[in-house]
Amino acid sequence: MEQNIILTVDVVLLTLKDNALQVVLQKRTWDPYKGFPALPGGYVHTEEDLDSLAAAKRVLKDKTALVSPYLEQLYTFASATRDPRGWSVSISYYALLDIETLMSQGSDRFLLHPVDDLPQLPFDHNRIIDSAVQRLRNKSTYSAVPCYLLPELFTLSDLQQTYEKVLGCKLDKSAFRRKIGELDFLDATSKARTGVHRPAQLYRIRPAKNLVLFDRTISKI
Amino acid sequence: MEQNIILTVDVVLLTLKDNALQVVLQKRTWDPYKGFPALPGGYVHTEEDLDSLAAAKRVLKDKTALVSPYLEQLYTFASATRDPRGWSVSISYYALLDIETLMSQGSDRFLLHPVDDLPQLPFDHNRIIDSAVQRLRNKSTYSAVPCYLLPELFTLSDLQQTYEKVLGCKLDKSAFRRKIGELDFLDATSKARTGVHRPAQLYRIRPAKNLVLFDRTISKI
DNA sequence: GTAATAGTGTCTGTGAGACACTATGGT
DNA sequence: ACCATAGTGTCTCACAGACACTATTAC
């Protein structure tokens, strides 16, 4: 019946660093492609994982020591040819994390690479990453998911820059703030970020707000 | 390594009949749930199916004798508990077909059931169908996919009614036609549908037009 | 004061919704 | 003539984009 199907989960963990979207990669510790950088991934453990989401969480935690506040199923890549070992299924997930949290956790266990300038990766990992980036870009036009690329406290300028990096286009400050205000998912804190110039109000995500669906777009791509 | 994982594909084939979205179901021929209506589905055959899309096509064809012009991966449901036999993966697809083509093909091999009034189905098939309907509704707000629910030739009123049934709300005739006109994916034919009243222009989908992505919404839900 | 960023006010063009209107067939 | 549906014209209101303006800090 079941002919030795390879069932894995792969996680595309994206972050924003040096003004670019970057993806977490790892040198593979086993064949095939041993030693080459690739997405963190691994077999589903049927005795341990209740479902594929749990498997993705576990794999990410075990391989990179990272925990992401946002983890969503992306797509399932399944074919006879994607893995040299045989018919293989990758249930792929994508995740978002701010660069500070990411670096403060086990940063010796992975490497970061800009998504716009990737070398050829093992399996169909280039395609998987492209799908994740496309999904993130698309979702950013009508949701607040880019918030997950920022630390707990951030300014509206931070948020706008995040959207701009993700979407790859400049946004109008006034229109952007109008929209964010309408959507009403931020709480102003009592703090401000001081610096060389006028201090900026610091915001955090309003607890228990669903950031995922708006009825209107924030911007075209 | 791989502990007897059950790998299946399930297909949610939707059509429009009696003014309602309906789903193709089949009485199961084997245990578990033998005799109960459920989604057409089956094991991935690794010797035969190059990838999961091919598997979905084959399963649909073999089980129902149907071929759909639109078949898209929906989501992968994978958990220890969804199938009494053990850890199970369902790579689910959804498909669209007009009712005429559907009935003219092997209609003795399946049954149709309105999606808004389903009994409890085996496995997590209710959830899978709900996901498919949600996806179709959402995609219909910014794409021409509902065209696949119509036969080759149709009037603009047919198309509008199709959108209305799928979205579950009335649309304004003038605005709808303006939008469809702008999107420019229909060809007027030389034919008209005659009836009791003024005949209506018949259209077909412009060949080689991508119906799937618009930059603007056709309507809110 | 100046420089630089934070944050706001306002105008305008576009486009969706509403709705009234005209057109054309059958009976 | 009348009815029902096909198909069009136009008004208005909301909103996104553009852009200029004010505010507040360090120096």
Side-chain angles (χ1 to χ4, degrees):
Chain A
M1 196 91 72
E2 291 314 302
Q3 309 85 347
N4 267 338
I5 283 166
I6 299 161
L7 177 63
T8 61
V9 290
D10 289 302
V11 180
V12 183
L13 177 53
L14 299 171
T15 193
L16 214 45
K17 189 193 177 198
D18 303 336
N19 277 339
L21 267 183
Q22 309 219 10
V23 61
V24 166
L25 299 176
Q26 279 193 313
K27 296 225 171 194
R28 287 180 59 83
T29 44
W30 290 297
D31 267 325
Y33 306 110
K34 182 173 173 176
F36 287 86
L39 290 175
Y43 291 107
V44 169
H45 291 175
T46 52
E47 349 65 52
E48 186 179 356
D49 304 321
L50 266 178
D51 54 32
S52 55
L53 177 63
K57 273 185 200 160
R58 178 188 54 75
V59 163
L60 188 61
K61 184 88 184 290
D62 287 358
K63 295 246 172 176
T64 66
L66 295 171
V67 175
S68 169
Y70 189 78
L71 189 61
E72 184 194 339
Q73 190 180 307
L74 177 63
Y75 196 78
T76 295
F77 298 84
S79 81
T81 53
R82 60 178 301 279
D83 188 313
R85 290 168 288 182
W87 224 98
S88 148
V89 176
S90 160
I91 308 177
S92 61
Y93 282 76
Y94 78 108
L96 306 176
L97 198 57
D98 71 277
I99 185 66
E100 292 172 27
T101 307
L102 195 142
M103 293 311 259
S104 74
Q105 293 171 26
S107 63
D108 51 328
R109 300 178 63 177
F110 56 81
L111 38 109
L112 285 169
H113 206 291
V115 296
D116 288 332
D117 178 37
L118 288 169
Q120 206 193 322
L121 301 176
F123 310 103
D124 45 8
H125 286 190
N126 291 85
R127 242 184 98 198
I128 299 181
I129 295 169
D130 286 349
S131 301
V133 172
Q134 218 179 304
R135 177 89 132 248
L136 171 63
R137 293 220 161 106
N138 190 40
K139 209 146 189 168
S140 299
T141 62
Y142 63 87
S143 87
V145 278
C147 288
Y148 292 113
L149 293 169
L150 287 168
E152 195 202 348
L153 299 181
F154 51 85
T155 69
L156 292 180
S157 295
D158 291 341
L159 187 59
Q160 183 175 343
Q161 280 171 43
T162 300
Y163 271 90
E164 288 174 347
K165 295 309 164 198
V166 169
L167 295 172
C169 62
K170 287 283 170 194
L171 302 177
D172 179 78
K173 184 167 52 162
S174 177
F176 181 77
R177 284 163 186 245
R178 205 191 296 148
K179 199 75 206 167
I180 297 296
E182 281 168 23
L183 297 173
D184 195 37
F185 63 92
L186 293 182
D187 279 334
T189 65
S190 56
K191 296 174 197 161
R193 174 181 302 162
T194 57
V196 184
H197 302 296
R198 172 174 174 176
Q201 177 69 246
L202 283 166
Y203 293 84
R204 68 157 55 83
I205 295 164
R206 176 164 302 178
K209 259 286 179 180
N210 180 12
L211 302 188
V212 178
L213 281 177
F214 303 154
D215 54 343
R216 282 305 196 194
T217 59
I218 290 183
S219 123
K220 293 186 235 185
I221 288 193
Chain B
M1 198 87 75
E2 290 316 303
Q3 309 86 344
N4 268 337
I5 282 166
I6 300 162
L7 178 62
T8 60
V9 290
D10 289 301
V11 180
V12 183
L13 178 52
L14 298 171
T15 193
L16 214 44
K17 190 191 176 199
D18 302 337
N19 277 338
L21 268 183
Q22 309 220 9
V23 61
V24 166
L25 300 176
Q26 278 192 314
K27 294 224 172 198
R28 285 180 61 82
T29 45
W30 290 297
D31 268 324
Y33 307 109
K34 181 171 173 179
F36 287 86
L39 291 175
Y43 290 106
V44 168
H45 292 176
T46 53
E47 349 65 52
E48 185 178 356
D49 305 320
L50 266 178
D51 54 32
S52 54
L53 177 63
K57 273 185 198 157
R58 179 188 53 74
V59 163
L60 188 61
K61 184 90 183 289
D62 287 358
K63 295 245 173 177
T64 65
L66 295 171
V67 175
S68 168
Y70 188 78
L71 189 61
E72 184 193 339
Q73 191 181 309
L74 177 63
Y75 197 78
T76 296
F77 298 84
S79 81
T81 54
R82 60 176 301 278
D83 188 312
R85 290 167 289 182
W87 224 98
S88 149
V89 176
S90 161
I91 307 177
S92 60
Y93 283 76
Y94 78 108
L96 305 175
L97 199 55
D98 71 276
I99 184 66
E100 292 172 27
T101 308
L102 195 142
M103 294 310 260
S104 73
Q105 291 172 27
S107 63
D108 51 329
R109 300 177 62 177
F110 56 82
L111 38 110
L112 285 169
H113 206 291
V115 296
D116 287 332
D117 178 37
L118 288 169
Q120 206 193 322
L121 300 175
F123 310 105
D124 45 8
H125 286 191
N126 291 84
R127 241 184 99 198
I128 300 180
I129 295 169
D130 286 348
S131 300
V133 171
Q134 217 178 307
R135 177 89 131 247
L136 171 63
R137 293 219 162 106
N138 190 40
K139 210 146 188 168
S140 298
T141 62
Y142 62 86
S143 87
V145 277
C147 289
Y148 292 114
L149 293 169
L150 288 167
E152 195 200 348
L153 298 181
F154 52 86
T155 68
L156 292 181
S157 295
D158 292 341
L159 187 59
Q160 184 175 342
Q161 281 170 42
T162 301
Y163 271 89
E164 288 174 346
K165 296 309 164 197
V166 169
L167 295 173
C169 61
K170 286 283 168 193
L171 302 176
D172 179 77
K173 183 166 56 163
S174 179
F176 181 77
R177 284 162 187 246
R178 205 193 296 147
K179 199 76 206 168
I180 297 297
E182 280 168 22
L183 296 173
D184 196 37
F185 64 91
L186 293 182
D187 278 333
T189 65
S190 56
K191 295 173 197 160
R193 174 180 304 162
T194 58
V196 184
H197 303 294
R198 174 173 172 178
Q201 178 68 245
L202 282 166
Y203 293 84
R204 68 157 53 84
I205 294 165
R206 175 166 302 177
K209 258 287 176 179
N210 180 12
L211 302 189
V212 178
L213 282 179
F214 303 156
D215 55 343
R216 282 307 195 192
T217 60
I218 290 183
S219 124
K220 293 185 234 184
I221 287 193

